[in-house]
Amino acid sequence: MTASAWATDYVFPGQMPAGCSGSAGNYVCGDLSLKYRDTVRISGALPAKITVNGSLDTDTAQVNAAGASSNLSLVVSGDVRLGFATLLNAQLTARSISDSSGSVTLGGSLTATSGSIKLAFATSVAGSLTASSGNITLDSFNVVGGDITAGGSLYVGYWGRVSGKVTAKSLSDGGAVIYSGAINTSDGRISLGYFSSVSGDVTASKGGVELLGLNDVQGCVWSKDGADIALSWASSADGVCCGSGSCNKSCLKNGSGWFSPSLCGARVALPALDHLELRHASGSGLTCTPATLTVVACQDASCATRYTGGVAGTLTTSGLSVNWPAGAAFTIPAGSSAASVDVQLLSAGTVTVGAKAVLPLAANASTCTFGSPACAFSAADSGFVLSVSHHVADTPQTLTIAAVKKGATASVCAPAFVNVSKLVNLGCGYGDPATGSQPVRVGGVPLNASASLGASCDGTLRPLNLAFNASGVASTTLQYADAGKVLLNAALADNAITSGLSMLGSSSFIAVPAAFKADPPALGVLRAGVPFAVAVSAVNGSGLLMPNFGKEAVPEGLVLAWTPASPVGPLAAAGTFTGSGVAPKPAWTVFSGGVAALSDLVWSEVGSGDLSATLASGNYLGSGKTVVGSTGSLGAIGRFVPHHFDVAVTPACGAFTYSGQPFAVAVTARNAEGGTTQNHDGSGALSPSLASAITLTEGAATGQGSFTVNRIDKAGFLSGVARSLAPTYAFASKLTAPRTIVVRATDADGVSSLGATEGALLLRSGRLRLSSVYGTEKRSLGVPVQAQYWSGQTWVLNSLDSCSSVPGGAVAMDAAIHAKGGAAGNWASAIVPQPGGQALTLAGGHGVLTLKAPTPTGTGSLDVALNLGMAASDLSCLGQPRPASVGAGLPWLRAQFGSTSGCAGAIDFGRDPSARVTFGVYTPENKRIGHVSDIQ
């Protein structure tokens, strides 16, 4: 196109760019280079197609701005370069597509046939992106309204939005991207940036998956090759799956700080439909009534495995005319593998039956389990019609056998026998499962060669004398103790001799379990979060096992559910119940002898509950009957107790605790996954109370001390957490060096914090020491006080003590005395309270007890003691009787003060500290301070 200084309005057809030609909606151009603010309109036939044999540059052009993208197809053999703020409403196909400036609006889909697609800042695409073999790179704030398919790698910039599913070799993004569909990669890692979220499954065939933080995947994260699935901080997923087949979590690296995601269940791609198989018990029927053919979808050549992806098709016949009462078409719904179609031959003879799959197509031709040659189905003008209802196994049923022949019209049956007894041979076989171990009993006679209850159906026909009524119908009893579809065959014993009629017949019935019976684990406590085992049995109407259950061609299975029974109350937690057969896992289909042995069931809570089992299909072999069962409603499984306790301690005095000083303990009841078992509660909010009293001990006892208060009553537990300020540990000897103990919690069920979190506590053996003081009677005097601990060698300053304080009422002051010991006169002193009203507060292990100057003025001494106990007088070594005081409640700071009158030579360490304060004695002259000045 020729360059122009002004924008050009191009019209197809009409004023087209140079080098373009065509009409009637089909146009061809050479290399096309649009200029600043050019426009392209389509005014002719729609939809239109423009083929560019070369490259396309758009600059800032507006292409089909007022039209729909579905009305314009733009096919470029070379590369497309999109300019800033281009608007293009078309379905665009090119070798490669790039947008270097951004803010482009694309109303259709983009396809790169051999190169890459690269879009710049704030570009939007209403349709899909496809790079058949190249990479796709999206800058920040890109919006894609459809799917993204990249034969190479895909990068989505910050704050991108993708409305469809993503398929690429590998994927990474710049964070805060919202994917509204599933993500699949074929040969590389998936790395989702911070805040990115996915509404769908995330599947990596190779290389694994990485969630960098604050990600939310509302689907399954699946690493097909078992490479790492890494969940970083605060990332979550509905489920994870490592490897193909049965999922596991072996590749999960959970650094999210949250609970581990559940398993997704089996993630196996559905194989293709191999062929359709037609089934009938005998391959023969009657002309006067329809026969039912069963169409089975097969996944392999032998049909040992059935296809359950859903099939639509039709039946065909060749030979005689037939009637399809409900039509020849059939549909097998997804999740099922068989359907039934009725067919009726209008005259005696044989037809060849076939089946054709329409959607999906089958890989091979249909087969049949009847006929010689294969798929030959014959009909006679007379025979037996056998009928018995689908029923609960081992419950007596009525079997009716109608002897019929063609009536006045071909489609109506008439009685063949009337009011006569005939000897009829009856036999049984197995349909689904194809084998069995128990016989059918008709009229009380087992249908096998030995007429034995211990032998299976073997095709042997047993004779029974049956009385046919005026309608040509005979009836007898039938009973079958196992599960499955069972075949019945009948033949007239004296057919050719007495009647000249060929009287044959066949039918089938389905025997369904009466119930599922769940056997709880053996008595004893179970641990929350620890797998437990339950055996679930399929039983018949007599309560006996049904060994054929679970052996069906498409195995029937069960789904389990959990109902908590105790405790009850508004705060009772249901917890989570997981394991095989529990949603979202697939149904459990592995049975042996009619018994499912489940060993990975997990309940996360404390209490008891009941297990219920329900037939997964809800319709056993299409019989219209389901199977249920449970352990009841009274909590047959449990009692569940916590898996372990976690113990947290809070030192009583900053970083340490004095020997004998109470400290704070929090005991949390946990399940095996680390979650709090909220039903471990003794507060009275739940019934019954399932909490247990806690005993505290040293994690590794050394014999240097013991707990003097070591019990937390069960009433202390609220929603799984017990808190107490009372636990106390004391050294056996006051002269014990500092040591750290580990606090262990144990209850009567043997639940312990051993191997879990246990709090460590630094203990010091402490005392308060008061020093005597003297000075002028004209001012207050401060008594130095020091907190000390035993270092192992001596008493040293406890600089960590900035928490101990003594109230004024705990200071005991004796009457004043003069130097010779007599009464010093009528003067007294008093405590100078500190801010907060305390007599003494320590900081860094130091404190001062301040006494006011004598009032009225006087001289002499008085003794002071600190009552650190709980009684109304102190236990110092001062003279008796002691003045009244209020205990400070700090007995752990008492020590051995036995050097004054009252307890001279005492060796116990239960004495309160004391000191003498003397007013009227001055500092010696040589220690006086004459002048003080500041030196800068």
Side-chain angles (χ1 to χ4, degrees):
M1 171 183 166
T2 304
S4 172
W6 303 99
T8 304
D9 181 21
Y10 295 110
V11 180
F12 286 71
Q15 186 179 348
M16 295 186 289
C20 296
S21 62
S23 62
N26 194 9
Y27 310 97
V28 178
C29 301
D31 283 336
L32 186 57
S33 181
L34 302 174
K35 300 302 181 182
Y36 178 74
R37 301 187 70 179
D38 283 352
T39 60
V40 175
R41 293 184 291 118
I42 309 298
S43 65
L46 297 174
K49 178 180 180 181
I50 300 175
T51 301
V52 178
N53 292 320
S55 297
L56 170 65
D57 283 317
T58 67
D59 202 315
T60 62
Q62 311 286 291
V63 179
N64 195 29
S69 62
S70 59
N71 284 332
L72 178 60
S73 174
L74 187 55
V75 179
V76 182
S77 63
D79 302 322
V80 172
R81 291 175 290 276
L82 302 169
F84 175 75
T86 291
L87 188 155
L88 192 154
N89 284 335
Q91 306 301 318
L92 176 60
T93 301
R95 181 171 59 196
S96 70
I97 303 169
S98 64
D99 155 27
S100 59
S101 300
S103 297
V104 173
T105 301
L106 300 163
S109 295
L110 277 60
T111 301
T113 56
S114 59
S116 61
I117 297 175
K118 184 175 182 180
L119 303 181
F121 178 84
T123 288
S124 65
V125 182
S128 61
L129 298 180
T130 303
S132 300
S133 58
N135 302 327
I136 297 179
T137 304
L138 306 181
D139 205 340
S140 301
F141 293 93
N142 283 177
V143 176
V144 179
D147 297 341
I148 297 180
T149 304
S153 64
L154 169 64
Y155 175 80
V156 183
Y158 176 75
W159 209 264
R161 299 292 184 266
V162 181
S163 296
K165 64 179 183 293
V166 171
T167 305
K169 188 174 183 179
S170 63
L171 167 68
S172 60
D173 70 43
V177 177
I178 296 176
Y179 302 90
S180 298
I183 296 174
N184 290 271
T185 60
S186 60
D187 195 28
R189 191 168 181 81
I190 296 173
S191 180
L192 300 183
Y194 286 95
F195 288 101
S196 289
S197 62
V198 184
S199 298
D201 292 345
V202 175
T203 304
S205 294
K206 296 180 181 179
V209 181
E210 181 179 26
L211 308 186
L212 292 177
L214 292 163
N215 304 110
D216 179 23
V217 177
Q218 297 178 16
C220 174
V221 178
W222 182 16
S223 174
K224 286 187 175 181
D225 66 347
D228 286 354
I229 296 175
L231 272 60
S232 297
W233 182 73
S235 292
S236 65
D238 287 354
V240 295
C241 178
C242 302
S244 58
S246 296
C247 285
N248 61 71
K249 294 199 284 187
S250 61
C251 69
L252 176 62
K253 308 298 182 185
N254 186 14
S256 67
W258 292 359
F259 293 139
S260 174
S262 61
L263 289 175
C264 302
R267 313 292 293 185
V268 181
L270 191 68
L273 172 65
D274 185 85
H275 70 282
L276 296 174
E277 183 176 273
L278 292 173
R279 296 183 177 182
H280 189 268
S282 63
S284 62
L286 296 168
T287 57
C288 62
T289 188
T292 299
L293 301 178
T294 300
V295 187
V296 178
C298 302
Q299 189 174 298
D300 53 38
S302 65
C303 210
T305 303
R306 295 192 183 185
Y307 175 83
T308 57
V311 181
T314 186
L315 296 191
T316 62
T317 59
S318 60
L320 303 174
S321 297
V322 300
N323 175 45
W324 304 97
F330 65 87
T331 299
I332 301 175
S336 184
S337 62
S340 296
V341 180
D342 288 343
V343 62
Q344 182 178 5
L345 274 67
L346 299 179
S347 59
T350 302
V351 297
T352 300
V353 187
K356 180 180 179 181
V358 176
L359 183 69
L361 297 176
N364 298 292
S366 63
T367 63
C368 301
T369 61
F370 57 85
S372 180
C375 296
F377 185 86
S378 61
D381 287 333
S382 61
F384 291 120
V385 178
L386 285 70
S387 178
V388 61
S389 300
H390 304 320
H391 60 274
V392 171
D394 215 25
T395 57
Q397 301 295 309
T398 298
L399 168 65
T400 61
I401 303 176
V404 299
K405 62 183 179 181
K406 182 185 293 187
T409 62
S411 60
V412 176
C413 294
F417 304 139
V418 176
N419 297 324
V420 66
S421 293
K422 292 289 184 179
L423 195 64
V424 178
N425 292 327
L426 292 171
C428 63
Y430 304 103
D432 188 10
T435 61
S437 60
Q438 301 188 44
V440 175
R441 290 168 282 164
V442 175
V445 178
L447 301 183
N448 51 43
S450 59
S452 170
L453 288 174
S456 61
C457 294
D458 56 12
T460 300
L461 298 177
R462 302 292 305 181
L464 278 85
N465 193 42
L466 300 177
F468 292 86
N469 61 19
S471 299
V473 177
S475 61
T476 185
T477 60
L478 179 144
Q479 205 159 345
Y480 178 65
D482 211 342
K485 182 177 182 180
V486 182
L487 311 178
L488 291 174
N489 296 300
L492 187 64
D494 54 357
N495 53 11
I497 299 173
T498 61
S499 63
L501 297 175
S502 176
M503 300 291 289
L504 301 174
S506 63
S507 187
S508 64
F509 64 86
I510 296 172
V512 182
F516 289 125
K517 178 185 176 184
D519 295 323
L523 294 177
V525 296
L526 301 172
R527 298 294 179 102
V530 175
F532 64 93
V534 169
V536 181
S537 307
V539 297
N540 61 25
S542 299
L544 303 177
L545 290 176
M546 306 177 71
N548 256 15
F549 185 85
K551 295 181 179 180
E552 301 83 7
V554 176
E556 291 276 2
L558 54 81
V559 175
L560 298 176
W562 177 261
T563 303
S566 70
V568 295
L571 299 181
T576 58
F577 184 65
T578 59
S580 296
V582 181
K585 285 190 175 183
W588 183 259
T589 58
V590 181
F591 282 76
S592 177
V595 179
L598 299 142
S599 60
D600 64 345
L601 303 179
V602 174
W603 189 37
S604 66
E605 261 300 340
V606 163
S608 64
D610 288 289
L611 190 68
S612 62
T614 305
L615 187 71
S617 68
N619 185 4
Y620 184 72
L621 293 180
S623 66
K625 297 181 180 296
T626 191
V627 187
V628 297
S630 75
T631 58
S633 60
L634 301 179
I637 301 178
R639 184 174 51 103
F640 287 82
V641 300
H643 175 264
H644 66 274
F645 295 124
D646 280 346
V647 179
V649 299
T650 302
C653 191
F656 78 100
T657 300
Y658 282 112
S659 169
Q661 182 181 20
F663 56 92
V665 174
V667 178
T668 304
R670 304 280 193 188
N671 59 34
E673 291 289 327
T676 301
T677 52
Q678 298 180 50
N679 289 346
H680 198 74
D681 187 292
S683 67
L686 303 180
S687 178
S689 173
L690 297 177
S692 53
I694 295 296
T695 299
L696 302 177
T697 58
E698 284 186 79
T702 62
Q704 292 183 295
S706 62
F707 278 90
T708 56
V709 178
N710 70 338
R711 179 181 171 86
I712 302 177
D713 191 76
K714 71 176 186 178
F717 273 99
L718 175 63
S719 296
V721 181
R723 305 180 190 278
S724 176
L725 301 176
T728 306
Y729 183 95
F731 292 142
S733 169
K734 191 76 171 179
L735 303 181
T736 300
R739 61 184 296 262
T740 298
I741 66 168
V742 172
V743 180
R744 178 163 297 161
T746 309
D747 70 4
D749 290 315
V751 181
S752 170
S753 58
L754 175 64
T757 300
E758 295 183 324
L761 195 70
L762 172 62
L763 289 167
R764 287 181 170 182
S765 183
R767 73 176 187 178
L768 275 186
R769 182 169 181 81
L770 277 61
S771 297
S772 296
V773 65
Y774 56 89
T776 177
E777 75 279 11
K778 301 183 183 301
R779 291 191 300 272
S780 299
L781 293 180
V783 178
V785 182
Q786 190 177 89
Q788 298 179 334
Y789 72 92
W790 183 257
S791 68
Q793 301 294 326
T794 187
W795 292 99
V796 297
L797 172 68
N798 188 0
S799 61
L800 295 181
D801 190 341
S802 294
C803 65
S804 297
S805 63
V806 177
V811 180
M813 287 189 290
D814 289 358
I817 58 174
H818 54 62
K820 294 183 179 181
N826 188 26
W827 64 267
S829 181
I831 298 299
V832 178
Q834 296 184 353
Q838 300 290 77
L840 169 67
T841 299
L842 297 184
H846 291 286
V848 176
L849 179 67
T850 304
L851 275 67
K852 292 181 179 179
T855 303
T857 301
T859 62
S861 301
L862 58 81
D863 292 327
V864 294
L866 300 182
N867 182 356
L868 300 180
M870 304 298 293
S873 61
D874 64 87
L875 293 180
S876 69
C877 293
L878 298 175
Q880 300 295 325
R882 303 298 306 132
S885 58
V886 178
L890 306 173
W892 49 87
L893 292 177
R894 284 172 165 167
Q896 185 182 30
F897 298 92
S899 59
T900 60
S901 62
C903 54
I907 60 173
D908 67 285
F909 288 85
R911 298 296 176 174
D912 287 319
S914 62
R916 174 160 290 182
V917 181
T918 302
F919 290 96
V921 175
Y922 298 89
T923 303
E925 193 69 28
N926 61 356
K927 292 186 178 181
R928 288 175 179 261
I929 298 174
H931 176 73
V932 176
S933 64
D934 293 332
I935 300 175
Q936 300 298 325

